[in-house]
């Protein structure tokens, strides 16, 4: 069978490897780091911090509408490690909770009952949101400017109240797209609301891995795909028509896939798109006692945006997306802000002792999904006939997410299969 070389062991490279390995190709995958998963991974926190627990570099969430990501997990035999949650808890400072869950009505009315009961929004906010959701349904196929205008432009056009902006749209979309509403192309906001909330009643259900992320791509998983060979600590130094240079040695194949982050392409000798980054900050806090029983919550009106309960309410992970305002703050200051925020929602934090804290600032978390960006995202084909591109930054049809990365991997794998004269069909269509 044809031999395919893949550079990069993030989700884009891994999904291409799984698809091609499953179709009988011989695949060699080269990853620079000693573990797989790229930005969606886990590792023990650095020495010098006690007994070094393993953490996800950041809590990663998926929705049921991430059909290609779920398909990839199925290929690796780890689909059952993903646990789905049906309730979203919106917490106000003071601790009052509003719960969003689906009721009995069919989509797109499935949230009606829960939405009407949400205490964090007033009637005027809700009527405005409902009007805007109906407009998304209508305009998503008819409007031609969604790539050019920002989501906040569109929401202001729909006369959303300040509270609806802050407590609904910003809260949901900034963490989904990792960009502020005024820097996010409306197209992406539409896609999240359509595929996550409107198209199907169960699409919004939030999947969290029950094991550290790196375990999803562990060696056991690859035993199912004997044609795939993974090389760790194997940085690809350059890529050209002659093949890969890996640790000074020339590696050749019939086909090549680069699944490197876009900021690494130039160093490998490949043309790179001009995209900006948007940061994410994760704060990991370990307490001496349980401070909450909620599995997760979205935190309104403060700096921290999401709380995930990682271990019996004693280990919490907090996430701030598009976290530019934290970029220049010290880790100590970020921990202070996090604790101060948590005391507002979870009174037990006031008595609890903080045993350990760890901050992960990912300055290059994702590309910024700004208006005009779609046209800058390249497709999978390159000037070299047997070299294909993958990565969440390529034109996958999705923003920079795990689903986007897997889609890009499947698209590149399909291109390789086609070039080899096969009908490789790996990409699954969106739910609607
Ligand atoms: C903090 C954070 C939180 C996130 N939260 C979510 C979330 O909740 N839900 C969601 O869907 N998405 C989330 N994302 C986005 C998601 O993680 C990414 O979109 C996705 O993992 C990108 O996969 P990728 O394969 O395209 O790129 P990467 O994961 O960056 O993979 C590229 C790989 O190439 C390797 N590499 C680099 N240079 C070389 C070289 N020279 N040779 C060989 N290998 C090399 C890297 O080590 C890496 O493993 C988050 C991202 C971050 C950073």
């Amino acid at each position: 069978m044809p031999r395919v070389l893949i550079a990069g062991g993030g989700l884009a490279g891994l999904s291409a490897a799984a698809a091609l390995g499953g179709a009988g190709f011989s695949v060699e995958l080269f990853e620079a780091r000693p573990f797989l998963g790229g930005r969606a991974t886990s590792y023990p926190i650095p020495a010098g911090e006690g007994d070094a627990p393993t953490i996800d570099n950041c809590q990663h969430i998926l929705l049921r509408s991430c059909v290609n990501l779920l398909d990839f997990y199925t290929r690796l035999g780890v689909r059952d490690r993903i646990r789905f949650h049906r309730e979203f808890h919106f917490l106000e400072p003071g601790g009052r909770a509003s719960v969003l869950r689906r009721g009995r009505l069919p989509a797109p009315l499935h949230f009606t009952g829960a939405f009407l009961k949400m205490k964090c929004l007033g009637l005027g906010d809700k009527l405005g949101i409902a009007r805007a959701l109906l407009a998304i349904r209508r305009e998503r196929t008819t409007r031609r400017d969604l790539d050019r205008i920002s989501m906040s432009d569109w929401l202001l056009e729909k006369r959303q109240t300040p509270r609806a902006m802050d407590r609904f749209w910003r809260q949901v979309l900034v963490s989904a797209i990792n960009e502020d509403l005024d820097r996010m192309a409306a197209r992406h906001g539409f896609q999240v609301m359509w595929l996550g909330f409107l198209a199907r009643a169960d699409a919004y259900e939030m999947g969290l891995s029950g094991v550290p992320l790196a375990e999803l791509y562990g060696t056991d998983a690859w035993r199912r795909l004997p044609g795939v060979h993974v090389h760790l600590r194997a940085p690809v130094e350059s890529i050209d028509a002659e093949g890969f240079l890996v640790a000074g040695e020339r590696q050749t194949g019939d086909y090549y896939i680069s699944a490197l982050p876009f900021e690494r392409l130039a160093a490998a000798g490949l043309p790179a798109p001009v995209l900006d980054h948007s940061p994410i900050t994760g704060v990991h806090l370990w307490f001496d006692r349980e401070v909450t029983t909620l599995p997760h919550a979205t935190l309104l009106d403060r700096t921290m945006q999401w709380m995930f309960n990682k271990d019996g309410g004693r280990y919490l992970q907090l996430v701030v997306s598009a976290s530019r305002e934290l970029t220049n703050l010290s880790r100590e200051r970020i921990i202070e802000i996090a604790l101060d925020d948590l005391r507002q929602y979870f009174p037990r934090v006031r008595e609890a002792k903080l045993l350990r804290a760890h901050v992960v600032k990912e300055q290059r978390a994702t590309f910024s999904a700004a208006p005009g960006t779609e046209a800058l995202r390249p497709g999978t084909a390159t000037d070299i006939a047997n070299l294909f591109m993958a990565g969440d930054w390529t034109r996958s049809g999705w923003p920079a997410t795990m689903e986007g990365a897997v889609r890009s991997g499947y698209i590149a794998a399909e291109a390789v299969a086609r070039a080899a004269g096969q009908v490789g069909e790996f990409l699954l269509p969106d739910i609607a």
Side-chain angles (χ1 to χ4, degrees):
M1 283 301 283
R3 182 175 144 94
V4 186
L5 268 50
I6 299 178
L11 283 169
L14 294 176
S15 55
L20 290 168
F25 285 76
S26 162
V27 179
E28 306 291 330
L29 183 140
F30 301 94
E31 164 57 45
R33 298 202 282 181
F35 45 82
L36 295 175
R39 278 169 278 160
T41 195
S42 47
Y43 43 76
I45 58 176
E49 299 198 32
D51 56 357
T54 292
I55 59 166
D56 289 344
N57 69 329
C58 189
Q59 177 68 57
H60 273 63
I61 71 164
L62 61 114
L63 300 180
R64 276 208 196 271
S65 46
C66 297
V67 289
N68 287 285
L69 178 62
L70 290 168
D71 178 73
F72 167 63
Y73 291 148
T74 303
R75 286 176 187 274
L76 295 190
V78 295
R79 168 71 179 71
D80 61 351
R81 314 287 204 285
I82 307 300
R83 306 204 179 117
F84 279 94
H85 298 246
R86 292 181 164 191
E87 295 185 339
F88 282 49
H89 306 268
F90 288 68
L91 284 193
E92 293 167 70
R96 188 165 73 160
S98 302
V99 182
L100 192 64
R101 68 167 78 83
R102 76 174 142 120
R104 299 225 171 116
L105 291 175
L109 302 175
H110 50 295
F111 286 132
T112 308
F115 185 62
L116 288 173
K117 284 192 207 135
M118 284 181 83
K119 297 188 249 348
C120 59
L121 296 167
L123 185 61
D125 310 320
K126 291 177 188 174
L127 289 175
I129 293 169
R131 246 190 304 106
L133 289 172
L134 289 176
I136 286 180
R137 217 168 149 231
R138 228 177 22 248
E139 292 182 18
R140 75 188 183 89
T141 51
T142 55
R143 254 180 106 140
R144 296 283 157 256
D145 60 352
L146 295 176
D147 255 341
R148 293 197 301 276
I149 62 169
S150 73
M151 193 64 194
S152 60
D153 288 341
W154 186 84
L155 289 167
L156 291 173
E157 181 191 302
K158 298 296 176 238
R159 300 193 315 280
Q160 297 299 288
T161 64
R163 193 162 44 184
M165 291 292 272
D166 282 344
R167 290 188 161 185
F168 183 74
W169 296 105
R170 183 162 294 121
Q171 206 66 26
V172 172
L173 291 177
V174 172
S175 37
I177 308 286
N178 188 34
E179 196 42 286
D180 292 323
L181 292 179
D182 56 356
R183 292 176 183 240
M184 171 195 307
R187 167 190 204 278
H188 295 298
F190 267 54
Q191 191 183 26
V192 168
M193 297 314 296
W194 173 246
L195 291 179
F197 285 83
L198 296 169
R200 217 172 68 186
D202 65 349
Y204 78 100
E205 290 177 13
M206 180 165 73
L208 303 176
S209 174
V211 297
L213 288 169
E215 279 184 29
L216 296 173
Y217 339 109
T219 39
D220 280 356
W222 297 99
R223 287 206 187 100
R224 301 162 66 95
L225 295 159
V228 178
H229 306 109
V230 173
H231 308 268
L232 298 176
R233 295 191 176 88
V236 177
E237 286 150 15
S238 70
I239 300 175
D240 58 30
E242 309 304 317
F244 289 178
L245 198 62
V246 185
E249 270 186 36
R250 177 65 61 189
Q251 301 283 343
T252 58
D254 301 296
Y255 302 98
Y256 302 94
I257 295 177
S258 162
L260 303 178
F262 64 88
E263 66 272 9
R264 297 287 171 84
L265 293 178
L270 295 172
V274 184
L275 302 172
D276 289 330
H277 284 102
S278 180
I280 299 180
T281 300
V283 185
H284 301 253
L285 300 173
W286 288 263
F287 294 98
D288 66 341
R289 67 196 73 181
E290 179 190 85
V291 295
T292 178
T293 52
L294 287 179
H296 44 74
T298 176
L299 309 175
L300 301 173
D301 304 342
R302 305 281 297 194
T303 304
M304 299 295 131
Q305 295 160 350
W306 275 88
M307 177 284 292
F308 296 92
N309 179 344
K310 301 291 286 181
D311 184 14
R314 299 159 74 102
Y315 165 30
L316 307 187
Q317 217 234 284
L318 310 173
V319 184
V320 186
S321 297
S323 59
R324 290 182 186 86
E325 66 185 64
L326 300 182
T327 301
N328 294 323
L329 299 186
S330 67
R331 287 177 159 65
E332 292 69 28
R333 180 72 195 116
I334 293 171
I335 292 164
E336 268 173 29
I337 293 172
L339 287 172
D340 199 34
D341 282 6
L342 282 188
R343 288 185 200 107
Q344 308 289 324
Y345 307 99
F346 309 109
R348 276 183 262 168
V349 172
R350 292 179 201 147
E351 280 78 51
K353 187 168 164 222
L354 183 68
L355 300 177
R356 182 200 292 265
H358 185 75
V359 176
V360 183
K361 286 190 200 175
E362 292 269 9
Q363 296 301 107
R364 294 171 162 184
T366 66
F367 70 83
S368 163
T373 301
E374 275 310 285
L376 305 175
R377 295 172 76 185
T380 193
T382 70
D383 289 344
I384 301 172
N386 59 349
L387 169 65
F388 301 92
M389 288 285 164
D392 62 353
W393 51 273
T394 59
R395 208 178 313 129
S396 71
W398 273 57
T401 51
M402 297 188 287
E403 170 72 4
V406 171
R407 287 175 64 92
S408 79
Y410 283 1
I411 290 169
E414 285 186 355
V416 166
R418 264 197 311 277
Q422 297 190 14
V423 198
E425 284 185 359
F426 308 122
L427 188 70
L428 301 176
D430 278 329
I431 55 168

